[in-house]
Structures are given as C-alpha cells and as structure tokens.
Amino acid sequence: MPAVTIRNLSEATHRALKVRAAHHGRSAEAEMREILDAAVRPETRLHLGSALAERSRRLGLTNEDLAVLDQARDALPAKPLSFE
C-alpha cells in the first residue's frame, strides 16, 4: 500500500488534526486517511453501475430484455484492425 509523507505541517494544524482525530476516536493517521478519502472520493461522485441500472429501470428494461440481447450478441471475438 502506498505511503505519503507530509512535510512542513504547521504545529497548529498538527494539533488541530490530533484534536479532530480524538473527537472521532481515531489515530491522527486514520484521521488523515479519512480526510483524504473524503476529499478525493466524495460520496456524491457518480457510480457508473448504479447510474446504468437506474437508466435501465427508467427505460423499462427487464432481465428478459437483457437475456435477449445476450443471445443476439455475436459470439465471435472481434478482429483487430489492420493498417497495412
């Protein structure tokens, strides 16, 4: 797992981080992980699978519709393009 080192963190920020971590019952390191996760992976991000499932429901697609599409799909592998 990757490791990150944060240099030149002010004493006031470090102290505030420790207080925040104690308030949440975590170590300072666990608190930093939580802060970074929340910053780069917000809960409001688009979840592609959920978005596609919702779109299918709105269109009225059923499992039977998807089974028909699977049967109609060409089973042969695609041939790579040749530029020669």
Side-chain angles (χ1 to χ4, degrees):
M1 184 173 291
V4 176
T5 301
I6 301 173
R7 299 186 200 300
N8 302 321
L9 189 64
S10 73
E11 285 296 324
T13 300
H14 189 246
R15 223 176 3 263
L17 178 64
K18 285 183 161 186
V19 169
R20 178 178 164 152
H23 178 72
H24 291 129
R26 299 189 267 252
S27 67
E29 184 177 338
E31 189 69 18
M32 285 185 266
R33 279 193 300 270
E34 184 65 31
I35 291 167
L36 288 171
D37 280 343
V40 299
R41 297 177 50 195
E43 290 186 24
T44 57
R45 72 187 188 276
L46 175 66
H47 294 93
L48 186 57
S50 299
L52 290 173
E54 177 59 30
R55 177 77 173 200
S56 296
R57 279 192 289 279
R58 277 189 275 144
L59 292 173
L61 292 177
T62 64
N63 287 339
E64 291 79 24
D65 296 326
L66 296 177
V68 170
L69 289 173
D70 279 340
Q71 290 173 355
R73 184 181 316 146
D74 188 359
L76 297 175
K79 295 181 181 176
L81 290 175
S82 173
F83 296 103
E84 296 177 1

